[in-house]
Amino acid sequence: MIKAVIFDMDGVLIDSEGVYLEYQLEFARTKNPDVRLEQLYPMAGATKKDSWEVMERAVNNGQTWEELRDEFRKKDIYREIDYRKLYRPDATAVLSQLKADGYRLALASSTHLELVERILEENGIRSYFEEVISGSQFKRSKPDPEIYLHTAACLGIAPRECLAVEDSTLGIQAAYRAGMKIAAIIDTRYGFDQSLADYRLSQVKDVLEAVKKA
């Protein structure tokens, strides 16, 4: 029986990956004008190292992935983004209904905590979550299950009684290794492998049906 629903953020509550990729493409083309957006698709949902190694291969200008990442970070793109425009508006009704139905709610995102909190506050949904956990709190990133195991422990609920709502390959693998049920928001743009998910959902509001089945 499911007692808690744990949401990822990027690609689930906000449709952010495409926006980040556009900034990354703009940066890549300052190094190599021939870089195509499709070459950067594997950056979506990847670990920091794996993501920037994709950039290194695409740019192919002799700079290491660390050098490229550090240079990109000099521009704070997150301050330029209006996350209210990226928010999936049906998520609010979903969170409200889950709360009303007695489910415990948490968020487990690889994004650093300050930005997670900002996005939740800007979209008026911070109060729905008992726990907000960032991957920056851990040494190992998704697909390591640590973030999900920690979130379940904070809620005081066994992992098998949690439904994780994810989209990316690594996020799904992390929840699977934690022993949770998984609902994956379908996204065919970036080649995510969602085969380990128990449910594949076309939109966030379908979580309400998935949690009943789980």
Side-chain angles (χ1 to χ4, degrees):
M1 179 181 176
I2 297 301
K3 296 181 180 179
V5 183
I6 303 175
F7 287 83
D8 179 37
M9 186 177 69
D10 291 286
V12 175
L13 297 177
I14 57 171
D15 188 14
S16 53
E17 278 115 338
V19 174
Y20 294 152
L21 282 171
E22 288 292 344
Y23 277 101
Q24 289 158 347
L25 178 64
E26 180 183 353
F27 172 75
R29 284 180 172 167
T30 66
K31 308 291 182 179
N32 179 348
D34 296 326
V35 174
R36 294 173 289 105
L37 181 61
E38 293 78 8
Q39 290 176 268
L40 303 184
Y41 279 173
M43 295 185 74
T47 65
K48 293 292 188 293
K49 180 177 183 293
D50 290 346
S51 177
W52 283 92
E53 284 181 343
V54 171
M55 176 69 77
E56 180 184 339
R57 290 191 295 271
V59 168
N60 193 27
N61 71 339
Q63 286 184 276
T64 66
W65 70 266
E66 295 100 331
E67 291 169 339
L68 291 165
R69 178 201 59 191
D70 291 346
E71 186 176 338
F72 180 77
R73 284 179 173 176
K74 291 178 182 178
K75 179 180 180 181
D76 188 357
I77 68 166
Y78 306 106
R79 291 189 179 277
E80 300 179 7
I81 297 172
D82 183 352
Y83 286 98
R84 291 168 296 184
K85 293 181 179 179
L86 305 183
Y87 180 63
R88 290 183 164 142
D90 56 336
T92 302
V94 171
L95 295 170
S96 179
Q97 188 61 56
L98 288 171
K99 200 80 168 177
D101 290 342
Y103 293 101
R104 310 275 296 282
L105 302 181
L107 186 134
S109 171
S110 296
T111 302
H112 62 85
L113 187 59
E114 182 180 356
L115 181 58
V116 171
E117 292 282 7
R118 174 192 148 195
I119 291 169
L120 297 182
E121 290 289 352
E122 285 183 359
N123 287 290
I125 57 172
R126 177 62 180 86
S127 61
Y128 289 108
F129 297 104
E130 291 182 44
E131 300 289 341
V132 174
I133 308 298
S134 165
S136 61
Q137 299 170 235
F138 309 99
K139 291 182 179 180
R140 298 181 298 276
S141 303
K142 298 176 183 179
D144 190 281
E146 185 176 14
I147 187 171
Y148 275 117
L149 293 172
H150 178 81
T151 303
C154 288
L155 292 171
I157 295 176
R160 67 178 182 277
E161 296 174 316
C162 298
L163 176 72
V165 185
E166 273 282 358
D167 66 318
S168 70
T169 304
L170 299 187
I172 291 168
Q173 289 175 347
Y176 179 82
R177 292 174 184 177
M180 298 182 175
K181 291 286 187 179
I182 305 161
I185 305 298
I186 296 171
D187 194 326
T188 59
R189 292 172 292 181
Y190 311 119
F192 293 149
D193 179 0
Q194 300 183 328
S195 60
L196 292 176
D198 299 279
Y199 312 98
R200 297 185 73 222
L201 315 179
S202 59
Q203 48 197 338
V204 176
K205 67 180 182 181
D206 295 335
V207 170
L208 296 175
E209 289 301 316
V211 75
K212 293 175 185 176
K213 294 176 183 178

